Amino acid sequence: MGAPNYAAQVLGELHNENFIWKDGRFPPNLPTFDRQESGWRIASLGEDSTPLECFELFFSANIMNLIVEQTNLFYEQNHNQERVGSRKQKWRNVIMEEMYLFIAISFLMAQVKKLNIKDYWTNDVTLATPFFGKIFSRDRYLAILSAINFLDNTLENDDKLKKIKPLLTHLRNVYKEIFYPKIYVSTKA
């Protein structure tokens, strides 16, 4: 039902008077590439750098402060709602060290796959991964997860990415600053 409308839209774009079809072979417009400049641009990052040092390049104290402030602000703005997190509990403001642990645990969850987020804290001996419970209680992790925020929600903005825009902008700028890609870039699934 939606396909004919989409096809008509595409055909309409192709027959736009600003779009002109040309015959012939056209070589791709490849950007210039400088092998000498490719790779990491951070002199302090070397073979002996720790994972934490690499992580802190992307998640600096500035962006972590923003995340902590906005998460706590989000809770304050929404504290009259029924609950924050999986269970009703008394909220305490997130501090930076706790946010670093929260992000680390969240990254680790991508490596240790479970069917349900609560399974990371299960006591079932066949499913248990005790590491998660030693770092965070389940309820505290879920409370932070439900409140994590990157932008003051009271600001008017029509951008569909507004809630994550500050983090995206920060990460994009960091990537531009610290890494120049090599000639062949690929992603692995």
Side-chain angles (χ1 to χ4, degrees), residues 16-174:
N16 183 328
E17 54 193 62
N18 295 326
F19 186 83
I20 301 171
W21 284 99
K22 297 179 184 177
D23 290 329
R25 293 185 61 156
F26 300 97
N29 185 8
L30 297 175
T32 57
F33 177 76
D34 182 358
R35 287 184 191 276
Q36 302 300 323
E37 294 291 321
S38 67
W40 295 103
R41 295 181 179 176
I42 302 293
S44 63
L45 192 64
E47 294 288 326
D48 59 339
S49 296
T50 66
L52 179 60
E53 290 170 329
C54 296
F55 177 81
E56 287 175 337
L57 289 174
F58 298 96
F59 288 88
S60 64
N62 288 341
I63 195 67
M64 292 303 290
N65 273 327
L66 173 80
I67 297 169
V68 167
E69 288 171 10
Q70 293 306 319
T71 299
N72 290 330
L73 178 62
F74 178 81
Y75 175 78
E76 287 175 25
Q77 291 170 342
N78 297 285
H79 77 281
N80 290 332
Q81 292 182 2
E82 261 181 53
R83 61 187 187 162
V84 170
S86 64
R87 296 175 185 252
K88 207 172 195 178
Q89 66 176 0
K90 185 173 180 175
W91 173 265
R92 66 181 187 280
N93 280 342
V94 179
I95 59 173
M96 189 176 316
E97 293 79 8
E98 190 176 31
M99 188 57 74
Y100 271 113
L101 289 173
F102 175 85
I103 291 175
I105 290 280
S106 299
F107 283 0
L108 184 59
M109 287 177 172
Q111 296 298 313
V112 181
K113 305 234 191 279
K114 304 276 185 173
L115 294 177
N116 183 315
I117 197 164
K118 293 179 182 177
D119 288 343
Y120 290 97
W121 287 271
T122 186
N123 291 325
D124 183 333
V125 293
T126 59
L127 298 174
T129 315
F131 173 78
F132 292 94
K134 290 179 182 176
I135 303 299
F136 262 107
S137 73
R138 179 194 67 194
D139 293 344
R140 180 61 176 163
Y141 181 87
L142 293 175
I144 295 171
L145 181 63
S146 69
I148 194 164
N149 225 300
F150 310 104
L151 178 75
D152 183 350
N153 287 327
T154 61
L155 301 175
E156 289 294 321
N157 191 334
D158 292 333
D159 187 353
K160 291 182 181 183
L161 295 174
K162 71 179 180 181
K163 289 194 174 248
I164 61 170
K165 191 73 164 205
L167 181 63
L168 287 177
T169 302
H170 168 78
L171 290 174
R172 183 181 307 123
N173 291 337
V174 169

